[in-house]
Structure formats: C-alpha cells, structure tokens
Amino acid sequence: MSAAVNGLPWTVLRLHRAALLGWGAFVAAVTGFLLWTAGVKADAARAELAYCAHHDTCSIKATLDYDGAVRLTATLLCYSFLAVAAWAGAALVARELETGTAQLAWTQSVTPVRWLVTKLALPALLITVGGAVLVPVFRHAWWINPDRLGSGWTSANVFVARGPATVAYGLCALAVGALAGLVLRRSLPALGVSFAVMLMLNQLMQSCRTDLWPSVTRTGTARFDPPDTAWQLTNGVIVHGKRVANPEYGHCNGTGTRAEQCLADHGITGYYSVYHPDSHFWPLHLMETGIVLAVTAAATAAAFRLLRRRTA
C-alpha cells in the first residue's frame, strides 16, 4: 500500500478536524452535564419529593428542574443525527467533489472506493464511540430521575436516547449524507436533501413506532387502567362485540346493579385497553434500530455502487 493510502486517514482527520473536534466537545459537554445533573440536582429533587410525601402543600421546583434537564439532553441526543446529516451532505463528500479535491486524490494512488471507505469509516467510528459513551450516561441520569413527570420512556426523544437507536440514526445520517453528496455534487443542495431525508425518516419511525411490536389488549367487565409506566394506546368499551374508543357513555364502571343496568342500556358488554407495558421498550427500540440500520446499509451500498459507476 502506498504512502498516499497510508496517509489518507490523517488527511481526512486534517480536513475535517473542526467538525470532529466539535463532535468530541459535544460528547464531553453532554456527558459532563448529565453527570453533574445526576450528582447534584437528583439529591435536591429526592429531598423535595420526600418532603412532599408528608405535607399537603409543597414546591416541586427541583423535581421539575431535574426532569427538564433530562428532557433537554434527550432532545439533543435524539436529534444530533441532523447535524451529522448536514455535515456529511455538505462537507464530507460533496464539497470535495465540487472543488475537485476528490479527483486529485484519485490520481495519487488512492482508488475511489478506498477514498470513500476512509471518508465513512473514521466518522462512523467516532459516532459509535460517542454514542457508546452518551447512551449509558443518559440511561443512568434517566433511571435515577425521582419522578419522571415528562421524561417517561414513551417520550419520542427519550425513546431514542435510551438505546442504540441514537447511534443508528447517526450512522444512517452519515450514509445518507454521503449518498446525497455523490448524487448532487454540490454542498448546499446535498446538505438540504440529507437533512430533509433524515428528518422525514425520523418522523416516519415515530408515527409507526407503536406498531413495531404487538401491543397488549386487556378486556373485562370493569375498566382497566394500565400501569403508569405503560404506553397507553387506546381504551374504550365493547358494544355488541365491537370496540368503541372513548364513548360518551363510557362511565358505566364498577360493580353492582346500577353499573350492570348502565352497561345493558347501552349494549356494553365490557371494557378494553390497548397498551405497551414497559417491558416492550427493548423490542420496540431494537426493531426501530434494525430498520434504521437497514436504511444505513442500503444508502451505503448505493453510494459505493454510484461511485464505481461514475469512476469506471
């Protein structure tokens, strides 16, 4: 292997050092913030909740502050892939094609395929390592949250931030950005397309997330409320064998003659509830991670195929 090939990783690091250092700074800053939050804010929130348990009136400011910090970091982690998509689309591939830097490299004993492999491998490694640090730290901060007021696992941002989907979205953004750069060969159009595609993919996954694993349906003659940790999808009554969600006469609950008469008057034979228990988090999360990684593999394969065709 020539010196040019041996030096290609260092060339990539030098060309994109600002972005790579920025990613390192982001990982360090978020990690430090989460550790500080878990070490300082959590104690204040626990003390506050302990006080509230024995008093009728109290303040939950510390609890809200802790929950707000968790939600903020969940949002940053969940949507960090958008920054990756914008950078990969604009700077990683398209800019070098636009300026002719890539073509120059291909004349220096560096094949187009090896050029693209190095372009993708180094950022992918840093994204994976960064995610391997951020996700466990976030899970620790989320787990010790004294009262998950708004940061339960059903939150769209928390759902992604709590597991490997964070890394999967980052790798997918890298592949989509590289493909957009190869197709468009212009920085700004590639930036916009890769950003839009990844945002659409994320929104699509959010919309069908609850369908990625079979939900639990519970029926009975009395209304059933799932646990607070469950993801409630729908509930209602069963009328003549058919489910009716949230009817006006859904108040026929309880036992006794009056409740039975109320049920009979409306033809209600029971109640139902559809939900995901908290044990479904990992099946749902891993299914979404697998789908995003499949998109990543498809975009990567398409990028290499396009590159071979254009440089044949």
Side-chain angles (χ1 to χ4, degrees), residues 115-148:
W115 172 82
L116 185 57
V117 166
T118 307
K119 283 286 184 181
L120 294 177
L122 289 176
L125 176 62
L126 293 177
I127 289 171
T128 303
V129 171
V133 173
L134 290 170
V135 171
V137 175
F138 176 81
R139 287 181 60 83
H140 170 69
W142 182 87
W143 184 255
I144 66 172
N145 190 348
D147 187 4
R148 302 184 186 99

Side-chain angles (χ1 to χ4, degrees), residues 38-80:
V40 177
K41 286 181 175 290
D43 291 339
R46 289 195 195 94
E48 186 177 74
L49 291 177
Y51 176 84
C52 290
H54 300 89
H55 296 79
D56 294 333
T57 60
C58 63
S59 170
I60 58 170
K61 183 179 182 302
T63 303
L64 291 173
D65 286 346
Y66 191 94
D67 194 75
V70 172
R71 281 184 289 169
L72 172 62
T73 52
T75 301
L76 291 174
L77 294 185
C78 177
Y79 292 105
S80 60

Side-chain angles (χ1 to χ4, degrees), residues 101-245:
T101 305
Q103 291 83 346
L104 178 62
W106 300 342
T107 65
Q108 304 298 318
S109 303
V110 177
T111 65
V113 171
R114 284 179 174 173
W115 172 82
L116 185 57
V117 166
T118 307
K119 283 286 184 181
L120 294 177
L122 289 176
L125 176 62
L126 293 177
I127 289 171
T128 303
V129 171
V133 173
L134 290 170
V135 171
V137 175
F138 176 81
R139 287 181 60 83
H140 170 69
W142 182 87
W143 184 255
I144 66 172
N145 190 348
D147 187 4
R148 302 184 186 99
L149 299 176
S151 58
W153 71 274
T154 62
S155 165
N157 300 340
V158 172
F159 184 89
V160 173
R162 282 187 65 205
T166 301
V167 177
Y169 273 107
L171 295 176
C172 189
L174 179 66
V176 169
L179 178 59
L182 285 168
V183 171
L184 299 173
R185 297 189 173 194
R186 294 292 184 272
S187 298
L188 290 180
L191 183 157
V193 169
S194 56
F195 187 96
V197 168
M198 287 306 304
L199 184 59
M200 290 174 59
L201 174 63
N202 177 259
Q203 295 303 306
L204 176 62
M205 295 307 303
Q206 284 189 30
S207 67
C208 65
R209 184 169 288 162
T210 57
D211 299 323
L212 297 178
W213 195 258
S215 58
V216 173
T217 301
R218 180 163 175 171
T219 60
T221 57
R223 187 185 300 276
F224 169 75
D225 293 321
D228 293 338
T229 56
W231 189 342
Q232 177 74 62
L233 302 181
T234 184
N235 59 68
V237 296
I238 302 173
V239 182
H240 301 301
K242 296 182 179 180
R243 295 177 182 177
V244 180

Side-chain angles (χ1 to χ4, degrees), residues 17-47:
R17 61 182 178 276
L20 300 179
L21 288 173
W23 171 249
F26 171 79
V27 172
V30 173
T31 300
F33 177 73
L34 283 172
L35 292 176
W36 175 79
T37 299
V40 177
K41 286 181 175 290
D43 291 339
R46 289 195 195 94

